[in-house]
Amino acid sequence: MRVNRHEVLLTIQGVSDAKVVIDRIRVVVVGLRRAPLIGTLVDIQCGEPFEYRYLEANLDKNPPSVTSKTTGSIGGERNARLDPAKFPYQVAIDEAESFVVSSVISKYDVDWRVEVDWSSQGQSGTIEVYDNGQPFRTTSSSSVSATCTWWDSGILVKESSKNCQT
């Protein structure tokens, strides 16, 4: 069974000197789970070293389960430092926290969003995170006919590619 990942990077920072507590991050599926798309899976491996709080959301489960992970990889990056997310976190205008929400899926095609619960100075709320106003979309690659993996330099990674037409 092939599992696909879709990583969303969140950098959360306050807008004033007041401390804002990030209480929880969760994933919500929007709409129905559909059959996976048919087509070609394209992957590009690139990047520099970085450090993030790491959460994994299983989109095959209803509702999705979100767990903190200490190991894993982000888009094939070898230089990623992944720290487990341990809530709560505090942010302010001069303090930020960065999270990677890695959705995993093996059975469906789904639309989803991230929700961030926060509290500050006696108030609380939830921020909904979308992809330019639209839900994120992740599909299983269980129905793909080809897999093409490229380095960011434009070179095909042959050992990670199958039935790829170049």
Side-chain angles (χ1 to χ4, degrees), residues 95-118:
E95 299 174 58
E97 286 288 344
S98 293
F99 299 88
V100 168
V101 178
S102 179
S103 67
V104 294
I105 195 162
S106 63
K107 300 176 186 175
Y108 305 105
D109 175 40
V110 299
D111 296 327
W112 56 281
R113 70 173 179 258
V114 176
E115 295 183 347
V116 179
D117 294 339
W118 62 271

PDB file of all heavy atoms in Angstrom, residues 95-118:
ATOM      1  N   GLU A  95       8.409  36.508  18.691  1.00  0.00           N
ATOM      2  CA  GLU A  95       8.594  35.073  18.890  1.00  0.00           C
ATOM      3  C   GLU A  95       7.651  34.317  17.960  1.00  0.00           C
ATOM      4  O   GLU A  95       6.449  34.543  17.997  1.00  0.00           O
ATOM      5  CB  GLU A  95       8.253  34.664  20.325  1.00  0.00           C
ATOM      6  CG  GLU A  95       9.082  35.312  21.395  1.00  0.00           C
ATOM      7  CD  GLU A  95       8.556  34.947  22.770  1.00  0.00           C
ATOM      8  OE1 GLU A  95       8.496  33.743  23.080  1.00  0.00           O
ATOM      9  OE2 GLU A  95       8.187  35.866  23.517  1.00  0.00           O
ATOM     10  N   ALA A  96       8.182  33.430  17.157  1.00  0.00           N
ATOM     11  CA  ALA A  96       7.370  32.632  16.237  1.00  0.00           C
ATOM     12  C   ALA A  96       7.635  31.155  16.470  1.00  0.00           C
ATOM     13  O   ALA A  96       8.682  30.774  17.001  1.00  0.00           O
ATOM     14  CB  ALA A  96       7.684  33.002  14.792  1.00  0.00           C
ATOM     15  N   GLU A  97       6.708  30.334  16.073  1.00  0.00           N
ATOM     16  CA  GLU A  97       6.864  28.882  16.058  1.00  0.00           C
ATOM     17  C   GLU A  97       6.512  28.393  14.666  1.00  0.00           C
ATOM     18  O   GLU A  97       5.558  28.878  14.058  1.00  0.00           O
ATOM     19  CB  GLU A  97       5.949  28.196  17.077  1.00  0.00           C
ATOM     20  CG  GLU A  97       6.374  28.331  18.507  1.00  0.00           C
ATOM     21  CD  GLU A  97       7.600  27.502  18.878  1.00  0.00           C
ATOM     22  OE1 GLU A  97       7.981  26.570  18.125  1.00  0.00           O
ATOM     23  OE2 GLU A  97       8.183  27.799  19.930  1.00  0.00           O
ATOM     24  N   SER A  98       7.278  27.432  14.176  1.00  0.00           N
ATOM     25  CA  SER A  98       7.011  26.855  12.854  1.00  0.00           C
ATOM     26  C   SER A  98       6.613  25.400  13.002  1.00  0.00           C
ATOM     27  O   SER A  98       7.252  24.639  13.732  1.00  0.00           O
ATOM     28  CB  SER A  98       8.248  26.973  11.966  1.00  0.00           C
ATOM     29  OG  SER A  98       8.505  28.324  11.672  1.00  0.00           O
ATOM     30  N   PHE A  99       5.552  25.034  12.303  1.00  0.00           N
ATOM     31  CA  PHE A  99       5.014  23.678  12.338  1.00  0.00           C
ATOM     32  C   PHE A  99       4.925  23.141  10.918  1.00  0.00           C
ATOM     33  O   PHE A  99       4.652  23.887   9.987  1.00  0.00           O
ATOM     34  CB  PHE A  99       3.599  23.674  12.928  1.00  0.00           C
ATOM     35  CG  PHE A  99       3.513  24.185  14.334  1.00  0.00           C
ATOM     36  CD1 PHE A  99       3.335  25.537  14.580  1.00  0.00           C
ATOM     37  CD2 PHE A  99       3.604  23.311  15.405  1.00  0.00           C
ATOM     38  CE1 PHE A  99       3.247  26.013  15.871  1.00  0.00           C
ATOM     39  CE2 PHE A  99       3.509  23.786  16.702  1.00  0.00           C
ATOM     40  CZ  PHE A  99       3.335  25.136  16.945  1.00  0.00           C
ATOM     41  N   VAL A 100       5.120  21.842  10.780  1.00  0.00           N
ATOM     42  CA  VAL A 100       4.792  21.143   9.545  1.00  0.00           C
ATOM     43  C   VAL A 100       3.641  20.212   9.876  1.00  0.00           C
ATOM     44  O   VAL A 100       3.727  19.402  10.801  1.00  0.00           O
ATOM     45  CB  VAL A 100       5.977  20.339   8.983  1.00  0.00           C
ATOM     46  CG1 VAL A 100       5.521  19.406   7.877  1.00  0.00           C
ATOM     47  CG2 VAL A 100       7.051  21.262   8.463  1.00  0.00           C
ATOM     48  N   VAL A 101       2.537  20.368   9.140  1.00  0.00           N
ATOM     49  CA  VAL A 101       1.423  19.440   9.237  1.00  0.00           C
ATOM     50  C   VAL A 101       1.532  18.544   8.012  1.00  0.00           C
ATOM     51  O   VAL A 101       1.335  18.998   6.887  1.00  0.00           O
ATOM     52  CB  VAL A 101       0.064  20.173   9.276  1.00  0.00           C
ATOM     53  CG1 VAL A 101      -1.073  19.157   9.334  1.00  0.00           C
ATOM     54  CG2 VAL A 101       0.009  21.133  10.453  1.00  0.00           C
ATOM     55  N   SER A 102       1.900  17.305   8.241  1.00  0.00           N
ATOM     56  CA  SER A 102       2.097  16.353   7.151  1.00  0.00           C
ATOM     57  C   SER A 102       0.879  15.449   7.076  1.00  0.00           C
ATOM     58  O   SER A 102       0.665  14.605   7.948  1.00  0.00           O
ATOM     59  CB  SER A 102       3.361  15.533   7.409  1.00  0.00           C
ATOM     60  OG  SER A 102       3.568  14.599   6.379  1.00  0.00           O
ATOM     61  N   SER A 103       0.052  15.652   6.061  1.00  0.00           N
ATOM     62  CA  SER A 103      -1.106  14.788   5.897  1.00  0.00           C
ATOM     63  C   SER A 103      -0.671  13.528   5.162  1.00  0.00           C
ATOM     64  O   SER A 103       0.116  13.581   4.230  1.00  0.00           O
ATOM     65  CB  SER A 103      -2.210  15.508   5.129  1.00  0.00           C
ATOM     66  OG  SER A 103      -1.816  15.736   3.806  1.00  0.00           O
ATOM     67  N   VAL A 104      -1.168  12.402   5.630  1.00  0.00           N
ATOM     68  CA  VAL A 104      -0.877  11.123   4.974  1.00  0.00           C
ATOM     69  C   VAL A 104      -2.196  10.490   4.555  1.00  0.00           C
ATOM     70  O   VAL A 104      -3.214  10.616   5.244  1.00  0.00           O
ATOM     71  CB  VAL A 104      -0.068  10.160   5.878  1.00  0.00           C
ATOM     72  CG1 VAL A 104       1.308  10.715   6.152  1.00  0.00           C
ATOM     73  CG2 VAL A 104      -0.786   9.865   7.173  1.00  0.00           C
ATOM     74  N   ILE A 105      -2.164   9.838   3.398  1.00  0.00           N
ATOM     75  CA  ILE A 105      -3.387   9.228   2.872  1.00  0.00           C
ATOM     76  C   ILE A 105      -3.007   8.064   1.967  1.00  0.00           C
ATOM     77  O   ILE A 105      -2.010   8.119   1.256  1.00  0.00           O
ATOM     78  CB  ILE A 105      -4.245  10.273   2.116  1.00  0.00           C
ATOM     79  CG1 ILE A 105      -5.642   9.756   1.886  1.00  0.00           C
ATOM     80  CG2 ILE A 105      -3.568  10.743   0.847  1.00  0.00           C
ATOM     81  CD1 ILE A 105      -6.642  10.842   1.564  1.00  0.00           C
ATOM     82  N   SER A 106      -3.786   6.979   2.027  1.00  0.00           N
ATOM     83  CA  SER A 106      -3.514   5.828   1.174  1.00  0.00           C
ATOM     84  C   SER A 106      -4.750   5.341   0.411  1.00  0.00           C
ATOM     85  O   SER A 106      -4.618   4.533  -0.489  1.00  0.00           O
ATOM     86  CB  SER A 106      -2.967   4.666   2.010  1.00  0.00           C
ATOM     87  OG  SER A 106      -3.937   4.241   2.949  1.00  0.00           O
ATOM     88  N   LYS A 107      -5.945   5.878   0.768  1.00  0.00           N
ATOM     89  CA  LYS A 107      -7.172   5.329   0.192  1.00  0.00           C
ATOM     90  C   LYS A 107      -8.016   6.314  -0.606  1.00  0.00           C
ATOM     91  O   LYS A 107      -8.795   5.890  -1.447  1.00  0.00           O
ATOM     92  CB  LYS A 107      -8.067   4.788   1.309  1.00  0.00           C
ATOM     93  CG  LYS A 107      -7.457   3.698   2.136  1.00  0.00           C
ATOM     94  CD  LYS A 107      -8.404   3.319   3.262  1.00  0.00           C
ATOM     95  CE  LYS A 107      -7.774   2.324   4.208  1.00  0.00           C
ATOM     96  NZ  LYS A 107      -8.642   2.046   5.351  1.00  0.00           N
ATOM     97  N   TYR A 108      -7.915   7.624  -0.323  1.00  0.00           N
ATOM     98  CA  TYR A 108      -8.914   8.563  -0.819  1.00  0.00           C
ATOM     99  C   TYR A 108      -8.302   9.778  -1.503  1.00  0.00           C
ATOM    100  O   TYR A 108      -7.102   9.974  -1.524  1.00  0.00           O
ATOM    101  CB  TYR A 108      -9.797   9.068   0.343  1.00  0.00           C
ATOM    102  CG  TYR A 108     -10.452   7.981   1.135  1.00  0.00           C
ATOM    103  CD1 TYR A 108      -9.981   7.639   2.398  1.00  0.00           C
ATOM    104  CD2 TYR A 108     -11.544   7.296   0.634  1.00  0.00           C
ATOM    105  CE1 TYR A 108     -10.586   6.636   3.141  1.00  0.00           C
ATOM    106  CE2 TYR A 108     -12.160   6.294   1.369  1.00  0.00           C
ATOM    107  CZ  TYR A 108     -11.675   5.967   2.627  1.00  0.00           C
ATOM    108  OH  TYR A 108     -12.274   4.985   3.344  1.00  0.00           O
ATOM    109  N   ASP A 109      -9.207  10.631  -1.972  1.00  0.00           N
ATOM    110  CA  ASP A 109      -8.919  11.973  -2.457  1.00  0.00           C
ATOM    111  C   ASP A 109      -9.774  12.888  -1.569  1.00  0.00           C
ATOM    112  O   ASP A 109     -11.003  12.751  -1.562  1.00  0.00           O
ATOM    113  CB  ASP A 109      -9.316  12.096  -3.933  1.00  0.00           C
ATOM    114  CG  ASP A 109      -9.147  13.499  -4.475  1.00  0.00           C
ATOM    115  OD1 ASP A 109      -8.154  14.156  -4.141  1.00  0.00           O
ATOM    116  OD2 ASP A 109     -10.034  13.941  -5.228  1.00  0.00           O
ATOM    117  N   VAL A 110      -9.139  13.789  -0.797  1.00  0.00           N
ATOM    118  CA  VAL A 110      -9.897  14.603   0.152  1.00  0.00           C
ATOM    119  C   VAL A 110      -9.475  16.066   0.109  1.00  0.00           C
ATOM    120  O   VAL A 110      -8.339  16.401  -0.231  1.00  0.00           O
ATOM    121  CB  VAL A 110      -9.761  14.098   1.615  1.00  0.00           C
ATOM    122  CG1 VAL A 110     -10.288  12.696   1.759  1.00  0.00           C
ATOM    123  CG2 VAL A 110      -8.350  14.195   2.108  1.00  0.00           C
ATOM    124  N   ASP A 111     -10.420  16.925   0.463  1.00  0.00           N
ATOM    125  CA  ASP A 111     -10.170  18.338   0.701  1.00  0.00           C
ATOM    126  C   ASP A 111     -10.128  18.523   2.209  1.00  0.00           C
ATOM    127  O   ASP A 111     -10.936  17.918   2.940  1.00  0.00           O
ATOM    128  CB  ASP A 111     -11.295  19.193   0.109  1.00  0.00           C
ATOM    129  CG  ASP A 111     -11.380  19.078  -1.402  1.00  0.00           C
ATOM    130  OD1 ASP A 111     -10.331  18.905  -2.052  1.00  0.00           O
ATOM    131  OD2 ASP A 111     -12.507  19.167  -1.936  1.00  0.00           O
ATOM    132  N   TRP A 112      -9.230  19.374   2.692  1.00  0.00           N
ATOM    133  CA  TRP A 112      -9.073  19.536   4.131  1.00  0.00           C
ATOM    134  C   TRP A 112      -8.519  20.913   4.476  1.00  0.00           C
ATOM    135  O   TRP A 112      -8.024  21.622   3.610  1.00  0.00           O
ATOM    136  CB  TRP A 112      -8.184  18.439   4.704  1.00  0.00           C
ATOM    137  CG  TRP A 112      -6.823  18.329   4.078  1.00  0.00           C
ATOM    138  CD1 TRP A 112      -6.518  17.738   2.881  1.00  0.00           C
ATOM    139  CD2 TRP A 112      -5.589  18.818   4.600  1.00  0.00           C
ATOM    140  NE1 TRP A 112      -5.166  17.833   2.631  1.00  0.00           N
ATOM    141  CE2 TRP A 112      -4.572  18.496   3.685  1.00  0.00           C
ATOM    142  CE3 TRP A 112      -5.242  19.497   5.761  1.00  0.00           C
ATOM    143  CZ2 TRP A 112      -3.240  18.820   3.891  1.00  0.00           C
ATOM    144  CZ3 TRP A 112      -3.910  19.820   5.969  1.00  0.00           C
ATOM    145  CH2 TRP A 112      -2.930  19.474   5.028  1.00  0.00           C
ATOM    146  N   ARG A 113      -8.632  21.272   5.749  1.00  0.00           N
ATOM    147  CA  ARG A 113      -8.073  22.527   6.246  1.00  0.00           C
ATOM    148  C   ARG A 113      -7.412  22.263   7.595  1.00  0.00           C
ATOM    149  O   ARG A 113      -7.660  21.240   8.240  1.00  0.00           O
ATOM    150  CB  ARG A 113      -9.150  23.601   6.377  1.00  0.00           C
ATOM    151  CG  ARG A 113     -10.134  23.346   7.479  1.00  0.00           C
ATOM    152  CD  ARG A 113     -11.084  24.522   7.691  1.00  0.00           C
ATOM    153  NE  ARG A 113     -12.021  24.225   8.743  1.00  0.00           N
ATOM    154  CZ  ARG A 113     -13.281  23.859   8.562  1.00  0.00           C
ATOM    155  NH1 ARG A 113     -13.760  23.753   7.333  1.00  0.00           N
ATOM    156  NH2 ARG A 113     -14.062  23.600   9.588  1.00  0.00           N
ATOM    157  N   VAL A 114      -6.597  23.217   8.009  1.00  0.00           N
ATOM    158  CA  VAL A 114      -5.948  23.174   9.320  1.00  0.00           C
ATOM    159  C   VAL A 114      -6.668  24.172  10.216  1.00  0.00           C
ATOM    160  O   VAL A 114      -7.040  25.265   9.772  1.00  0.00           O
ATOM    161  CB  VAL A 114      -4.450  23.560   9.203  1.00  0.00           C
ATOM    162  CG1 VAL A 114      -3.792  23.609  10.570  1.00  0.00           C
ATOM    163  CG2 VAL A 114      -3.721  22.587   8.284  1.00  0.00           C
ATOM    164  N   GLU A 115      -6.879  23.806  11.476  1.00  0.00           N
ATOM    165  CA  GLU A 115      -7.443  24.715  12.459  1.00  0.00           C
ATOM    166  C   GLU A 115      -6.467  24.869  13.617  1.00  0.00           C
ATOM    167  O   GLU A 115      -5.929  23.880  14.126  1.00  0.00           O
ATOM    168  CB  GLU A 115      -8.796  24.204  12.976  1.00  0.00           C
ATOM    169  CG  GLU A 115      -9.855  24.185  11.893  1.00  0.00           C
ATOM    170  CD  GLU A 115     -11.230  23.766  12.378  1.00  0.00           C
ATOM    171  OE1 GLU A 115     -11.337  23.253  13.520  1.00  0.00           O
ATOM    172  OE2 GLU A 115     -12.180  23.956  11.613  1.00  0.00           O
ATOM    173  N   VAL A 116      -6.231  26.120  14.012  1.00  0.00           N
ATOM    174  CA  VAL A 116      -5.308  26.438  15.098  1.00  0.00           C
ATOM    175  C   VAL A 116      -6.111  27.089  16.219  1.00  0.00           C
ATOM    176  O   VAL A 116      -6.713  28.148  16.029  1.00  0.00           O
ATOM    177  CB  VAL A 116      -4.200  27.410  14.621  1.00  0.00           C
ATOM    178  CG1 VAL A 116      -3.258  27.751  15.767  1.00  0.00           C
ATOM    179  CG2 VAL A 116      -3.436  26.820  13.436  1.00  0.00           C
ATOM    180  N   ASP A 117      -6.149  26.449  17.391  1.00  0.00           N
ATOM    181  CA  ASP A 117      -6.823  27.006  18.565  1.00  0.00           C
ATOM    182  C   ASP A 117      -5.827  27.854  19.345  1.00  0.00           C
ATOM    183  O   ASP A 117      -4.695  27.412  19.602  1.00  0.00           O
ATOM    184  CB  ASP A 117      -7.352  25.889  19.469  1.00  0.00           C
ATOM    185  CG  ASP A 117      -8.459  25.074  18.824  1.00  0.00           C
ATOM    186  OD1 ASP A 117      -9.093  25.577  17.884  1.00  0.00           O
ATOM    187  OD2 ASP A 117      -8.674  23.932  19.268  1.00  0.00           O
ATOM    188  N   TRP A 118      -6.237  29.065  19.756  1.00  0.00           N
ATOM    189  CA  TRP A 118      -5.360  30.002  20.443  1.00  0.00           C
ATOM    190  C   TRP A 118      -6.098  30.655  21.612  1.00  0.00           C
ATOM    191  O   TRP A 118      -7.324  30.657  21.670  1.00  0.00           O
ATOM    192  CB  TRP A 118      -4.859  31.086  19.488  1.00  0.00           C
ATOM    193  CG  TRP A 118      -5.985  31.923  18.938  1.00  0.00           C
ATOM    194  CD1 TRP A 118      -6.704  31.680  17.809  1.00  0.00           C
ATOM    195  CD2 TRP A 118      -6.532  33.114  19.516  1.00  0.00           C
ATOM    196  NE1 TRP A 118      -7.672  32.648  17.631  1.00  0.00           N
ATOM    197  CE2 TRP A 118      -7.595  33.537  18.670  1.00  0.00           C
ATOM    198  CE3 TRP A 118      -6.245  33.859  20.649  1.00  0.00           C
ATOM    199  CZ2 TRP A 118      -8.350  34.674  18.943  1.00  0.00           C
ATOM    200  CZ3 TRP A 118      -7.004  34.990  20.920  1.00  0.00           C
ATOM    201  CH2 TRP A 118      -8.034  35.393  20.069  1.00  0.00           C
TER     202      TRP A 118
END
